[in-house]
């Protein structure tokens, strides 16, 4: 189970506040990295999204030192990282928030297997949102027996 993820944004406080609205939670500062914030779902899983300033990089520590933060002015705007997140709000609420923020939002079918709502945070990073009306499709798709069946039909290149 993934309990939290981190992303970067041009306006970390605003993005954390918008994500907190979609999680039906709250936003708060993230003290380990000044200028960073968290969107907390305040659920039983401890779900939260850390939002760092754009250009933030996590670097490995040395020896027994934990990871550290750095800033890279040349960091890419787009990346491959995304997450599928169940949210307690409706599809209509997601669309309303996206429109208000000027962020791309699109209701999509993933090859007919399940549906998601793509939300493009600041129009540079995609997260897939699963409101209650479509979350059940995804949860059914990822049941172990269904995944095993799908994987058995996929040929692995030699």
């Amino acid at each position: 189970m993934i309990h939290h993820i981190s992303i970067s944004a041009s306006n970390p406080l605003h993005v954390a506040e918008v994500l907190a609205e979609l999680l039906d939670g709250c936003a708060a500062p993230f003290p380990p990295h000044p200028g960073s914030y968290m969107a907390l779902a305040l659920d039983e899983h401890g779900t939260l999204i850390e939002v760092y300033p754009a250009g933030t990089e996590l670097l490995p520590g040395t020896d027994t030192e934990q990871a550290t933060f750095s800033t890279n002015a040349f960091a890419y705007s787009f990346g491959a990282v995304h997450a599928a997140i169940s949210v307690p709000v409706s599809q209509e609420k997601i669309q309303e928030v996206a429109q208000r923020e000027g962020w791309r939002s699109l209701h999509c079918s993933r090859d007919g297997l399940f549906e998601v709502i793509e939300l493009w945070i600041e129009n540079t990073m995609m997260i897939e949102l699963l409101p209650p009306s479509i979350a059940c499709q995804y949860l059914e798709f990822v049941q172990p027996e269904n995944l095993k069946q799908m994987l058995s039909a996929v040929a692995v290149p030699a």
Side-chain angles (χ1 to χ4, degrees):
M1 174 180 293
I2 297 173
H3 295 283
H4 75 263
I5 62 170
S6 61
I7 64 172
S8 62
S10 294
N11 189 337
L13 173 58
H14 182 71
V15 168
E17 289 171 338
V18 171
L19 292 173
E21 180 181 355
L22 295 171
L23 292 169
D24 200 21
C26 69
F30 181 69
H33 191 269
S36 300
Y37 297 86
M38 303 175 287
L40 299 99
L42 301 174
D43 64 10
E44 66 276 10
H45 305 292
T47 305
L48 65 92
I49 302 170
E50 297 168 7
V51 187
Y52 306 147
T56 298
E57 295 180 327
L58 289 173
L59 303 174
T62 57
D63 299 322
T64 59
E65 182 183 46
Q66 63 183 344
T68 60
F69 297 96
S70 179
T71 302
N72 178 354
F74 301 103
Y76 295 108
S77 294
F78 296 101
V81 174
H82 76 280
I85 303 170
S86 288
V87 294
V89 299
S90 69
Q91 294 181 57
E92 294 77 21
K93 176 69 173 183
I94 294 167
Q95 302 294 346
E96 172 190 314
V97 168
Q99 185 172 17
R100 180 189 74 211
E101 298 302 320
W103 297 351
R104 177 177 167 78
S105 175
L106 184 67
H107 188 147
C108 302
S109 173
R110 297 296 191 228
D111 297 325
L113 300 170
F114 57 88
E115 297 173 32
V116 300
I117 297 176
E118 287 185 2
L119 178 67
W120 286 84
I121 299 169
E122 294 183 331
N123 293 315
T124 60
M125 182 189 179
M126 180 192 65
I127 58 174
E128 297 170 324
L129 297 180
L130 302 164
S133 60
I134 61 175
C136 56
Q137 297 170 357
Y138 178 81
L139 294 173
E140 178 67 24
F141 172 73
V142 296
Q143 290 303 304
E145 57 278 0
N146 295 336
L147 290 176
K148 288 176 188 175
Q149 182 179 7
M150 180 194 70
L151 293 174
S152 69
V154 177
V156 178

